[in-house]
């Protein structure tokens, strides 16, 4: 078991993103490498832009509060890209934008859980 005590959110989420990489690579090799790459690119782009737009609408300063810097948005978008079939980049972008915008930012962002 990996000891994560004392680590910040960014280092943990970066480790999770790195753990997702081999699965995405295998999915690309077995199915369609270009389709998987398009899914990842579309999801990450849409997710980060949505995150930034929501943060700007809420008036948060970029350097201190920008949630995309802690890699949680990256992990969210990679999971979405992996869950969809290769080449469904438009659905990946839409799912990432809705997931980040409604699933995370509508409730106040990272650390502001409703429950």
């Amino acid at each position: 078991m990996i000891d994560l005590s004392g680590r910040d959110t960014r280092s943990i989420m970066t480790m999770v993103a790195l753990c997702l990489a081999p699965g995405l690579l295998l999915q690309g090799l077995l199915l369609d490498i270009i389709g998987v790459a398009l899914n990842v690119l579309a999801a990450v782009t849409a997710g980060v832009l949505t995150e930034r737009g929501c943060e700007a609408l809420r008036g948060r300063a970029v350097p201190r509060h920008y949630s995309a810097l802690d890699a949680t948005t990256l992990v969210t978008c990679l999971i979405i890209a992996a869950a969809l079939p290769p080449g469904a980049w438009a659905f990946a972008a839409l799912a990432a934008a809705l997931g980040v915008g409604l699933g995370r930012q509508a409730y106040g962002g990272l650390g502001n859980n409703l429950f």
Side-chain angles (χ1 to χ4, degrees), residues 18-108:
L18 289 173
C19 290
L20 285 168
L24 285 166
L25 181 64
L26 185 62
Q27 183 183 19
L29 291 174
L30 293 176
L31 299 174
D32 177 18
I33 192 79
I34 294 173
V36 172
L38 286 174
N39 281 3
V40 170
L41 181 65
V44 170
T45 302
V48 170
L49 288 176
T50 302
E51 182 92 17
R52 180 62 193 118
C54 290
E55 297 267 339
L57 286 174
R58 290 186 12 224
R60 288 193 165 179
V62 173
R64 198 175 111 209
H65 296 289
Y66 190 32
S67 296
L69 295 178
D70 63 17
T72 55
T73 302
L74 176 66
V75 170
T76 301
C77 295
L78 289 178
I79 292 170
I80 288 170
L84 293 172
W89 59 269
F91 292 111
L94 179 64
L98 290 175
V100 170
L102 295 177
R104 289 187 42 189
Q105 291 297 319
Y107 294 104

